[in-house]
Amino acid sequence: MIETDRRGALRAGAALAVAGALTAGCSASGSAPTAHQAAPAARHPAAKSPRAAPAPRRFPGLPDQIAHSPRDRPQVALTFHGQGDPATARSLLTIAEKADARITVLAVGSWLDEHPELARRILDGGHDLGNHTHHHLTINEMTEAEATAEITGCADRLRRLTGSIGTWFRPSRAETATPLVARLARRAGYPHVLSYDVDSLDFTSPGAQAVTRKVASEVRAGSVVSLHFGYADTVAALPAVLEALDRRGLRAVTTTELLT
C-alpha cells in the first residue's frame, strides 16, 4: 500500500508539472535544437544557497568514453542536451525535481550565453552540468584547432558562470568522439567522454508515447539515456518515463552519482 501511494503521488505531481509546463507555452515551435508529481521526501533536496560546481573527475577502471555504468546498481542517468527554449528546460527540471529525480545537462556554450541564469538553476536543483561544445556543430569533422575552440569555448562559459568547466563532456552531433576529439577533451580537462546506450530519439518529435516506449523498452540498470531540452514531446514524456523507471525499481540520478 505504501508503494502504491508513492506511485500515485508521483503521477499526481508529475501531471501538475506537465500542466504547468504546457500552460507556460512550452511548444515545439521554434524551440528545437539545431542537431541531430507531490513527491516522497527528497533524497537530494535542492540547495537553498548556490551550489559549487563540481569539477570533472577520473573514474579508474572505466573507459575513456562511457556509454553506461556497471550494471550492479538500480540506477540510471537521464542526460539532456542543453539547448532550445529555456521555458522547456525549466519545466523539465521542475518535473524531475518533483519526482525526486536528478539529471545531467550537457549545455551548449552559445545557449549559456543567451540564458546564463540556467547554469545556476541547474546546479541549484542538484543536477550535473557539463559541456556540449560551444556552437553544437559536427565536431568530429572539424580540424584540431576548430574542435579545440568548440570544447574550450563552452568550458570557458561554464567556468565563468559556475567556477568549474563542468562535470562531463559530450561531443556535439555524435554519439561518440573520434580519437582526436577525445584527446582534445582530455587536454581541456575532461578525463571521460560521456556517450549513452539508450537514445530516446526525442529530437525527431515522434510524440510523447513513442519517447516513453523507446526509453522504457531499452533502459537497464546502469544505462545512460540521451534526451534533449527544447522539445514539447520530452516535457510530456518525462513523467511517464520516470514512472516506468520507478515501476522497475530504477532511480534517476546524476551521471556522477551513477558512476561513483
Side-chain angles (χ1 to χ4, degrees), residues 47-52 120 124:
K48 291 184 172 62
S49 59
R51 295 169 58 96
R120 182 55 56 192
D124 285 353

Side-chain angles (χ1 to χ4, degrees), residues 58-114:
R58 178 80 191 174
F59 290 87
L62 292 180
D64 290 342
Q65 300 204 47
I66 297 173
H68 60 83
S69 79
R71 306 289 188 177
D72 57 348
R73 288 186 294 171
Q75 299 176 338
V76 300
L78 303 180
T79 67
F80 288 78
H81 300 221
Q83 194 177 10
D85 183 357
T88 307
R90 294 187 186 96
S91 295
L92 287 163
L93 292 166
T94 298
I95 291 167
E97 290 156 13
K98 284 182 178 293
D100 194 28
R102 295 297 176 263
I103 66 175
T104 299
V105 180
L106 292 313
V108 174
S110 58
W111 183 70
L112 291 176
D113 283 343
E114 296 176 1

Side-chain angles (χ1 to χ4, degrees), residues 43-249:
R43 289 183 290 260
H44 301 284
K48 291 184 172 62
S49 59
R51 295 169 58 96
R57 57 182 292 186
R58 178 80 191 174
F59 290 87
L62 292 180
D64 290 342
Q65 300 204 47
I66 297 173
H68 60 83
S69 79
R71 306 289 188 177
D72 57 348
R73 288 186 294 171
Q75 299 176 338
V76 300
L78 303 180
T79 67
F80 288 78
H81 300 221
Q83 194 177 10
D85 183 357
T88 307
R90 294 187 186 96
S91 295
L92 287 163
L93 292 166
T94 298
I95 291 167
E97 290 156 13
K98 284 182 178 293
D100 194 28
R102 295 297 176 263
I103 66 175
T104 299
V105 180
L106 292 313
V108 174
S110 58
W111 183 70
L112 291 176
D113 283 343
E114 296 176 1
H115 311 290
E117 74 285 353
L118 286 176
R120 182 55 56 192
R121 169 66 183 87
I122 291 163
L123 291 173
D124 285 353
H127 311 287
D128 271 357
L129 177 61
N131 181 330
H132 196 36
T133 75
H134 187 53
H135 292 104
H136 204 258
L137 305 173
T138 309
I139 193 168
N140 284 344
E141 297 179 4
M142 292 181 176
T143 66
E144 180 171 347
E146 291 169 338
T148 297
E150 282 295 305
I151 297 169
T152 60
C154 185
D156 289 344
R157 269 70 178 177
L158 288 165
R159 184 186 291 109
R160 184 178 71 244
L161 292 169
T162 71
S164 164
I165 64 172
T167 51
W168 299 96
F169 168 76
R170 174 173 286 169
S172 48
R173 300 198 187 212
E175 180 177 344
T176 59
T178 61
L180 170 63
V181 170
R183 176 169 60 81
L184 296 176
R186 287 194 298 272
R187 181 192 296 172
Y190 301 97
H192 301 279
V193 171
L194 182 60
S195 183
Y196 46 88
D197 65 330
V198 178
D199 189 349
S200 69
L201 299 179
D202 60 344
F203 62 92
T204 65
S205 297
Q209 289 184 346
V211 172
T212 302
R213 283 195 302 269
K214 184 75 162 56
V215 175
S217 66
E218 296 183 12
V219 74
R220 301 166 52 195
S223 283
V224 177
V225 183
S226 173
L227 294 145
H228 293 74
F229 283 175
Y231 292 89
D233 285 353
T234 313
V235 177
L238 186 56
V241 168
L242 292 170
E243 187 172 351
L245 295 178
D246 186 64
R247 284 197 302 269
R248 294 174 56 179

